[in-house]
Amino acid sequence: NIFNLQKDILQLYQNQFKYILVDEYQDTNVCQYNWLRLLAAKYNNICVVGDDDQSIYSWRGAEVGNILRFEKEYSNSVTIKLEKNYRSTGNILDAANQLISNNKKRMGKTLWTDEKKGDKIEIVNSYNGETEAVMVSDKIEEIQSMDSQLNSIAILVRASYQTRFFEDRLIKIGLPYRIIGGTKFYERLEIKDALAYLRVTVSDYDDLAFERIINIPKRGIGKKALRDIEIYARNNQISLLSACQKLCTDDYFNSNVSFNLKSFFKLLSVWRTNLDNMSAEEATQIILEDSGYTDLWQKDKSIEAEGRLENLKELISAISEFENINSFLEHIQLVMDNNLKNDGDAVNLLTLHAAKGLEFEYVFLPGWEEDIFPNRKSLEEKLNAGLEEERRLAYVGLTRAR
């Protein structure tokens, strides 16, 4: 970098920043580490604040080793441990301390409090996600009956797709909720796309759904082509799907677009036949695969892609609970009608990553089971380092609670 190549520029900035303070040092990446090391090299006046036990962002480049080796690299440094906790009761801190003590790569500290031991942590086994959501919602209603605010309650999940069971349950029993740091399950981009495919499959007349998915994945339908379809549909008082089919038959589009659209309409015919011959779950899986929509996200290299694929799997799981796609879509309409903004008192639903830095009176930690939490992919890709980060994430979750 420029500091290594041009020493005069490095000296300029070293003199400009004689004293350096870094917050959340456990979340710094390798580039930031090297940059700070060079900046501080002249005066060695660097103070960092952080908690190695809360380093949970390796997937976006954070390197916990930066804070772990700080004392060795700056041998004259003084370490001040802030171990007194002002939030949680004794039992919660005991559990958190015991959990994180299993990590080998850590500086080491023991949280303590002047508070009482408090209620014991409850560990509850459930048969599946649905029964877990019922148990959690029953407990929330019990807490609410003791004059506690819903705002003081949080459900923390490892992966965003896990919110679906809780959203469905809370809507069913009329408890308001909000998603922090994310979007409600049925309002997520990939879920809305998938639902649009289902709506087009069951109906010729859902223009909004058709408009949403006709070019996802890309089939060559640009803004002009879509506008021409809309004009034709309006002039002939037919649906957008019917207008597109008619224009396609009349060879209105170029050969490439025409081929793509004819292939799509052939698939649509097959999907509609499948509705009568297959379960709703199987039919949906075929629609998402044949359309190329699943493949679209499998090829996507963004950080969000894995989560989107998990959400699509969860959607298929949700559909398996219904007799047919029509009854599922009716259920979704009820969900969306109930999904008004909850700016007042509401249960907080969020991922463990989004919970860092927040605090609540009561915390529910569902899905603590193999493959979900600890997360299978994290363990497969990073082995023991992955397990230690999963343990740090669990530590963050436990210590959100008062």
Side-chain angles (χ1 to χ4, degrees), residues 164-354:
R164 199 269 300 177
F165 279 119
F166 296 97
E167 291 188 61
D168 282 356
R169 177 62 184 171
L170 294 174
I171 287 168
K172 185 176 181 179
I173 64 176
L175 274 180
Y177 71 94
R178 69 173 63 85
I179 301 286
I180 296 178
T183 309
K184 292 183 176 181
F185 185 80
Y186 294 111
E187 293 175 5
R188 292 168 190 165
L189 178 142
E190 64 282 3
I191 300 303
K192 291 171 86 170
D193 286 346
L195 293 175
Y197 265 107
L198 297 183
R199 290 192 171 105
V200 168
T201 302
V202 301
S203 172
D204 278 348
Y205 304 100
D206 197 321
D207 286 349
L208 288 175
F210 173 84
E211 195 171 356
R212 184 178 184 95
I213 57 88
I214 191 55
N215 205 40
I216 302 176
K218 293 192 180 300
R219 299 184 179 92
I221 298 292
K223 290 182 179 179
K224 181 185 180 302
L226 189 57
R227 188 165 62 250
D228 291 344
I229 295 169
E230 290 170 345
I231 291 170
Y232 189 90
R234 188 164 57 248
N235 290 341
N236 292 276
Q237 296 185 322
I238 57 177
S239 69
L240 292 182
L241 188 147
S242 298
C244 188
Q245 286 175 317
K246 186 69 172 66
L247 289 171
C248 200
T249 302
D250 294 344
D251 293 324
Y252 175 81
F253 306 106
N254 66 47
S255 58
N256 188 45
V257 174
S258 182
F259 175 79
N260 290 339
L261 288 174
K262 286 177 181 177
S263 299
F264 171 74
F265 292 130
K266 283 179 184 176
L267 287 173
L268 185 60
S269 178
V270 172
W271 298 340
R272 289 177 170 177
T273 302
N274 290 345
L275 295 183
D276 298 322
N277 303 322
M278 293 182 178
S279 68
E281 179 183 10
E282 289 176 303
T284 301
Q285 188 144 4
I286 287 173
I287 289 169
L288 294 179
E289 288 175 357
D290 286 356
S291 65
Y293 192 73
T294 301
D295 190 53
L296 174 74
W297 290 115
Q298 286 174 338
K299 290 179 177 176
D300 191 283
K301 301 302 180 186
S302 67
I303 293 174
E304 295 85 7
E306 183 188 354
R308 295 193 192 282
L309 287 167
E310 286 179 337
N311 288 337
L312 290 173
K313 287 180 183 176
E314 185 59 30
L315 176 70
I316 292 170
S317 175
I319 291 171
S320 69
E321 299 166 17
F322 292 81
E323 187 177 341
N324 53 57
I325 288 176
N326 273 315
S327 59
F328 174 72
L329 290 175
E330 288 171 7
H331 164 74
I332 296 303
Q333 192 57 52
L334 290 172
V335 169
M336 300 309 287
D337 289 344
N338 277 284
N339 251 349
L340 301 173
K341 281 192 174 180
N342 292 307
D343 295 325
D345 194 30
V347 177
N348 299 287
L349 251 174
L350 60 160
T351 65
L352 287 156
H353 284 98

Side-chain angles (χ1 to χ4, degrees), residues 76-104:
N76 293 327
S77 64
V78 176
T79 300
I80 302 171
K81 295 184 180 182
L82 304 177
E83 295 176 297
K84 184 175 181 181
N85 183 284
Y86 296 88
R87 175 192 304 137
S88 305
T89 55
N91 279 325
I92 292 173
L93 296 183
D94 288 345
N97 288 329
Q98 181 62 38
L99 172 79
I100 202 64
S101 68
N102 290 285
N103 275 6
K104 305 301 181 190

Side-chain angles (χ1 to χ4, degrees), residues 3 10 13-15 17 20 34-43:
F3 285 169
L10 173 59
Y13 282 98
Q14 284 177 334
N15 289 326
F17 298 103
I20 298 172
N34 288 323
W35 179 66
L36 285 165
R37 185 172 54 82
L38 288 167
L39 271 181
K42 184 173 182 179
Y43 295 105

